[in-house]
Amino acid sequence: MKKLPLIFLIVFCTVFCAALFAGCEYFVLHEPVHRHMYDEWVITKNRTCTEDGERERYCSCGEKQTGVMASLGHDYIEYEEKPATCTEEGHEAYRQCRRCGEGTEKITIPALNHALENVVAENATCTEAGHAEYEYCTRCNYSTFVEIPPLGHAFGEWEEVKSATCTEHGEERRVCAHDESHTETRTTEKINHVIKDFITQETCETDGLKYRECSVCGLRSDSETIPAMGHNFSEWTTVTEPMCTQEGLETRVCKNDETHTETRTVEKLPHALSEWITEIQPSCEKDGLKFRECAFCKIRIESEIIPAAGHVAGGWITDVEEDCESDGAKHTECTVCEKVLETEVVSAHGHNFADDICIYCGLDAAATKGLVFGLLSDGNSYAVLGIENGVPEIIIPETYRGKPVTAIISEAFRGLIGLEKIFIPASVTEIGQYAFDGCENLKEVEFAVPEGWAFYNAGGVKIAEVSETEITSSAAEMLTNIHLNKYFLFRA
């Protein structure tokens, strides 16, 4: 019954195909179409972890169908590393297929054997067990330990350690024969008191006492108080006389006991005031001070301020004399303390030229304006320090403020590009190095100069030695007067 629907389906498909290909000359339906009906698969080659398997089945018509079964692949078991012990082998981590046994190599780790340490024997004591000599493994719990039980105490006879008294128990001790450090102690009973009668004598301030007391331990009993007798003092005597700086002192002594004394103070005497004594003399601006003191103890009793006297002004005193170009200065001061009270500037009186020479300072009227001078260390002559403005021609005077001009300092006119001509008087006997360095347009210098570096890098200036007849009469006179080598300076 189960095959009946399948037969109907086959017939239907056959008729449908015949109708579809009715026009085809090659299609002839001679007999019903056969469909293969295969039986169960039969495995002809088992599959493994790495190789495919094979299978086949047959139709009733004898047709064979074959198939391939995919390899299974490895099914690994992971084995963790197992450390070796003293008695058992270990192995490194590895894996192995549970079907075919394929995997990583199992590497065996040999057993370690025991790591033995030796322990010396220890004797048993009274209270603690001992042991014989034994070995133990430092890696595992292997041991040859054998315990020796405690010996127990073996005490001797009791001996007295501390004798009993009437206030304290005594003490006895016995020692173990196995170990002298093991001991036992016990107390013994107190003995009876040894009683005697005693008297403590009364004093001025302290009561006396009658009592009974043990001569061994000092325990008192049956006490009776004897009242103190009180002091019996003598008259007061002076120990220290009173003064204006300190009190006096008196004392008296008890007739019953010379160690008992009393003291009292005597009031100070009054001070004896002296005349006024000046400690600080008053000045023009600061007050003074005077005081009175005790004639005996010299302690200062009172003091008083002496008012300042005030300044006494004198006449005008000249500090700096004025000259032709510079102001002077003057001041007044106190005739007592010499403090400056007032200052005043004295204006410069200006030049007074006669034949182009100032009658006060000797300044040449023809000298170039703007030259800067400095007084030399000797205080008797000046040096040219430079010029405040650039000019093509410079005339240096022989004198300045009444004193000769004797020098031109190093680099005085350095870099003065516009300078073309300079006149240096006979009074100049020294020119510093590089005084005219960078004076590129300097053409003429009327002066006899010493050898050196004064005109180093001064444009095209040359220095040539010539005779007196080859230079101007004024230049020759200057060269002769300063006794230097004769030179004439000109531009190439």
Side-chain angles (χ1 to χ4, degrees):
M1 292 297 293
K2 293 181 178 179
K3 294 183 178 180
L4 187 58
L6 181 60
I7 295 173
F8 285 142
L9 179 60
I10 293 172
V11 173
F12 175 78
C13 290
T14 302
V15 175
F16 177 78
C17 290
L20 181 63
F21 297 105
C24 180
E25 61 180 348
Y26 297 103
F27 181 81
V28 179
L29 185 60
H30 296 287
E31 58 183 22
V33 177
H34 173 70
R35 281 184 60 83
H36 293 298
M37 298 293 291
Y38 294 103
D39 53 12
E40 298 296 328
W41 287 103
V42 176
I43 295 174
T44 59
K45 179 183 178 182
N46 290 325
R47 57 181 174 173
T48 66
C49 296
T50 57
E51 293 184 357
D52 297 336
E54 296 179 0
R55 63 181 179 176
E56 62 183 20
R57 62 180 178 177
Y58 290 90
C59 180
S60 58
C61 66
E63 178 69 20
K64 182 174 75 171
Q65 186 180 32
T66 62
V68 176
M69 296 180 292
S71 62
L72 298 173
H74 293 298
D75 182 10
Y76 288 113
I77 300 174
E78 299 291 340
Y79 294 93
E80 295 182 353
E81 179 184 9
K82 177 184 178 183
T85 66
C86 297
T87 56
E88 294 183 357
E89 293 180 342
H91 59 75
E92 295 181 0
Y94 69 96
R95 65 180 182 173
Q96 192 172 44
C97 180
R98 70 176 72 247
R99 284 190 292 269
C100 68
E102 193 275 338
T104 57
E105 181 183 1
K106 178 181 179 181
I107 298 175
T108 301
I109 302 172
L112 301 177
N113 296 325
H114 291 301
L116 296 176
E117 290 286 340
N118 187 69
V119 181
V120 298
E122 184 175 335
N123 295 328
T125 67
C126 300
T127 58
E128 295 182 357
H131 58 78
E133 182 178 1
Y134 70 94
E135 293 179 327
Y136 73 94
C137 179
T138 59
R139 284 192 292 266
C140 66
N141 58 1
Y142 171 78
S143 174
T144 60
F145 175 82
V146 176
E147 184 179 77
I148 301 174
L151 301 176
H153 292 298
F155 288 111
E157 297 298 324
W158 291 101
E159 296 178 358
E160 185 178 72
V161 177
K162 178 183 177 182
S163 299
T165 68
C166 50
T167 58
E168 293 182 351
H169 294 282
E171 184 178 325
E172 292 180 336
R173 182 182 66 173
R174 61 180 181 175
V175 181
C176 177
H178 297 149
D179 189 341
E180 292 183 355
S181 66
H182 297 166
T183 63
E184 283 185 343
T185 60
R186 69 181 181 183
T187 58
T188 57
E189 294 298 325
K190 298 177 184 178
I191 62 175
N192 295 327
H193 292 291
V194 179
I195 302 297
K196 291 184 178 182
D197 293 328
F198 292 91
I199 296 176
T200 301
Q201 189 64 45
E202 73 277 13
T203 66
C204 300
E205 298 175 344
T206 307
D207 294 336
L209 185 65
K210 291 192 300 184
Y211 58 92
R212 303 183 73 198
E213 183 177 271
C214 175
S215 60
V216 178
C217 68
L219 178 66
R220 292 184 180 184
S221 61
D222 302 330
S223 298
E224 181 181 341
T225 301
I226 303 172
M229 65 182 70
H231 293 295
N232 183 14
F233 286 109
S234 64
E235 298 297 324
W236 290 101
T237 58
T238 300
V239 177
T240 305
E241 294 289 344
M243 299 176 63
C244 53
T245 56
Q246 66 180 21
E247 295 174 332
L249 183 66
E250 293 178 338
T251 185
R252 61 181 182 175
V253 181
C254 179
K255 296 177 181 179
N256 297 329
D257 188 342
E258 292 183 354
T259 63
H260 297 165
T261 61
E262 281 187 343
T263 58
R264 69 181 181 183
T265 58
V266 182
E267 291 184 356
K268 297 177 182 178
L269 300 177
H271 290 292
L273 289 178
S274 67
E275 298 296 325
W276 286 104
I277 301 172
T278 300
E279 181 180 25
I280 301 174
Q281 289 290 347
S283 65
C284 300
E285 296 180 341
K286 294 183 178 180
D287 296 336
L289 182 66
K290 62 181 180 178
F291 64 90
R292 298 174 71 187
E293 64 184 11
C294 176
F296 299 112
C297 66
K298 304 302 181 183
I299 290 179
R300 186 173 300 188
I301 307 302
E302 59 179 324
S303 59
E304 187 175 302
I305 293 174
I306 306 172
H311 292 293
V312 179
W316 287 102
I317 299 172
T318 300
D319 298 314
V320 180
E321 291 285 352
E322 75 277 12
D323 58 22
C324 300
E325 297 181 354
S326 300
D327 295 337
K330 62 182 181 178
H331 74 276
T332 62
E333 61 185 33
C334 177
T335 58
V336 178
C337 66
E338 298 183 350
K339 179 178 179 179
V340 175
L341 303 177
E342 185 178 359
T343 60
E344 186 175 304
V345 175
V346 181
S347 300
H349 52 64
H351 294 291
N352 186 1
F353 291 102
D355 296 329
D356 291 334
I357 301 297
C358 179
I359 63 175
Y360 298 129
C361 66
L363 178 66
D364 190 341
T368 303
K369 304 297 182 184
L371 286 172
V372 180
F373 299 90
L375 187 65
L376 295 176
S377 59
D378 59 7
N380 298 320
S381 59
Y382 280 90
V384 179
L385 306 182
I387 190 168
E388 294 178 345
N389 53 351
V391 293
E393 183 176 343
I394 295 176
I395 298 174
I396 298 175
E398 285 194 14
T399 60
Y400 179 73
R401 294 186 178 179
K403 296 180 180 180
V405 177
T406 62
I408 301 173
I409 70 167
S410 299
E411 303 182 6
F413 300 107
R414 189 172 193 173
L416 199 62
I417 298 176
L419 180 62
E420 298 178 1
K421 181 179 179 181
I422 185 168
F423 171 77
I424 303 174
S427 60
V428 175
T429 60
E430 183 179 350
I431 300 178
Q433 292 186 354
Y434 307 104
F436 295 91
D437 179 27
C439 298
E440 299 176 355
N441 294 309
L442 182 60
K443 300 173 182 177
E444 184 177 352
V445 179
E446 293 187 28
F447 187 50
V449 296
E451 294 182 0
W453 296 90
F455 291 90
Y456 172 78
N457 198 26
V461 172
K462 287 185 178 180
I463 302 176
E465 187 173 2
V466 296
S467 64
E468 272 188 27
T469 58
E470 294 175 301
I471 58 177
T472 64
S473 58
S474 60
E477 183 181 356
M478 286 188 294
L479 294 172
T480 302
N481 289 340
I482 62 174
H483 306 291
L484 298 174
N485 294 330
K486 300 179 179 63
Y487 290 94
F488 180 68
L489 285 74
F490 60 90
R491 190 173 183 84

